[in-house]
Each structure stands twice: as structure tokens, then as C-alpha cells.
Amino acid sequence: MALSIKSPEVEKLVEALAAMTGESKTETVRRALEERRERLRLQQAHRERGSDSFAISKRRSGRKLRPGNSAAVSAAKMAMPRPAALIRIQ
């Protein structure tokens, strides 16, 4: 099945991206569609996990955080600043 692009804006985007990557227009469109499909799949999975997490947090909301409690450890880790990325110079 052939695909006909009738939008000058889309044609310009495909041409620009193909020039940046060195890919053909067909490969550029294929990869862009695959990457978007994967992002949407991950978003869907995240939403589904989020509803599970909400149910778990709702059940645990009455618990107090005590040292050594896994929830307390997780909360402490989230509050800690993350180290900057290391750059290796050769």
C-alpha cells in the first residue's frame, strides 16, 4: 500500500529529518512511527501501573514511616540529590 503525503509541512519535516540522519525518507518515516508507537505503549503501561500504585498507596496511607521501613528508605532516596553525570576525558 502506497502512502501519499499531501502536506508541505510534513514533507519539509521528513526531508529535514532524513538529511539530519542520512536515512531515506521511507526509513525516516518508519523509524519515527516506530518510536512514537513505543512511547505511546510505554505511556499506556505507565498509566496502568499508576492506577495499581495509587491503590497500593491508598491501602498504606495509614502506615507511619519508621527507620528501616522500605517506604521510609524509598522516601529518603527520593529526597537525596542525584549525583552529576561523570565525564571521562581521555
Side-chain angles (χ1 to χ4, degrees):
M1 173 199 289
L3 179 66
S4 176
I5 306 290
K6 295 178 178 149
S7 167
E9 181 183 0
V10 172
E11 182 67 29
K12 286 179 186 177
L13 287 169
V14 172
E15 287 175 2
L17 190 54
M20 291 172 71
T21 62
E23 300 166 342
S24 68
K25 289 181 185 179
T26 301
E27 181 65 12
T28 299
V29 171
R30 185 189 68 75
R31 291 188 74 180
L33 292 171
E34 284 182 346
E35 289 172 11
R36 182 161 189 219
R37 182 181 62 186
E38 182 63 13
R39 281 194 310 271
L40 291 171
R41 187 189 68 74
L42 291 172
Q43 286 175 0
Q44 169 103 22
H46 179 69
R47 279 193 299 272
E48 290 171 0
R49 280 194 311 271
S51 62
D52 293 342
S53 298
F54 179 73
I56 291 169
S57 65
K58 193 173 179 182
R59 285 195 306 266
R60 293 184 177 181
S61 63
R63 295 184 184 176
K64 293 185 179 180
L65 298 180
R66 294 180 299 275
N69 181 328
S70 61
V73 172
S74 296
K77 285 181 182 177
M78 289 179 5
M80 293 175 59
R82 298 183 185 267
L86 298 177
I87 301 173
R88 184 186 307 180
I89 301 174
Q90 297 181 357

